[in-house]
Amino acid sequence: MTSRNTQADQLAELRQKIDQFSEIRDWGKYHTPKNLSMALSVEASELMEIFQWQDGAEGFAALADSKKEAVAHEVADVFIYLMRFCSVTGIDPLQAVEAKLKLNDAKYPASVVKGKSEKYSDY
């Protein structure tokens, strides 16, 4: 079995654990695409809040251990809601990423955008 299949299997297993966590608590009735997308946004905002008011030059390594742990918890929350969203909508996250990378490769050819931050419509 290749490393990629192992990672896909691990992701599927983790997604199943997340779904089970929800099912045991009877939260499925609340896990609509609307509610999950909103929860995902809230958790992403909580991740951003940790870095609020920093000048942006600080690296992750410079954070206090308690802040690093808070970042890890928020990353987990974002990931959990994303995986739950994928389960509810039937989206395969690995296939979605592969397809989006192909689209982005066409929109942002390295020969044109390397070292630039402009949006694809600006070049």
Side-chain angles (χ1 to χ4, degrees):
M1 183 180 295
T2 67
S3 171
R4 181 183 167 114
N5 286 340
T6 300
Q7 289 175 347
D9 293 343
Q10 289 173 339
L11 184 62
E13 185 178 313
L14 187 56
R15 194 166 149 185
Q16 188 175 38
K17 285 181 185 179
I18 292 166
D19 290 343
Q20 222 173 19
F21 183 90
S22 173
E23 289 167 18
I24 290 169
R25 289 156 180 81
D26 194 26
W27 288 348
K29 58 189 166 198
Y30 307 114
H31 288 181
T32 63
K34 176 192 112 17
N35 288 346
L36 289 166
S37 66
M38 292 173 75
L40 182 57
S41 177
V42 168
E43 295 302 336
S45 294
E46 289 178 6
L47 176 61
M48 289 173 26
E49 184 180 27
I50 295 168
F51 297 97
Q52 187 176 13
W53 310 121
Q54 291 185 354
D55 67 14
E58 306 92 344
F60 181 75
L63 294 177
D65 288 344
S66 61
K67 288 270 189 178
K68 289 178 184 176
E69 183 177 24
V71 168
H73 288 173
E74 296 307 332
V75 166
D77 287 341
V78 168
F79 186 79
I80 288 167
Y81 278 122
L82 180 60
M83 289 300 96
R84 188 71 181 124
F85 182 90
C86 288
S87 287
V88 167
T89 59
I91 293 171
D92 180 321
L94 297 177
Q95 287 179 356
V97 168
E98 290 287 345
K100 185 62 176 179
L101 283 173
K102 285 180 185 175
L103 288 173
N104 285 349
D105 189 47
K107 285 186 351 187
Y108 300 98
S111 61
V112 176
V113 302
K114 188 171 185 172
K116 299 177 184 176
S117 63
E118 291 89 5
K119 188 173 179 177
Y120 68 93
S121 58
D122 292 339
Y123 59 84

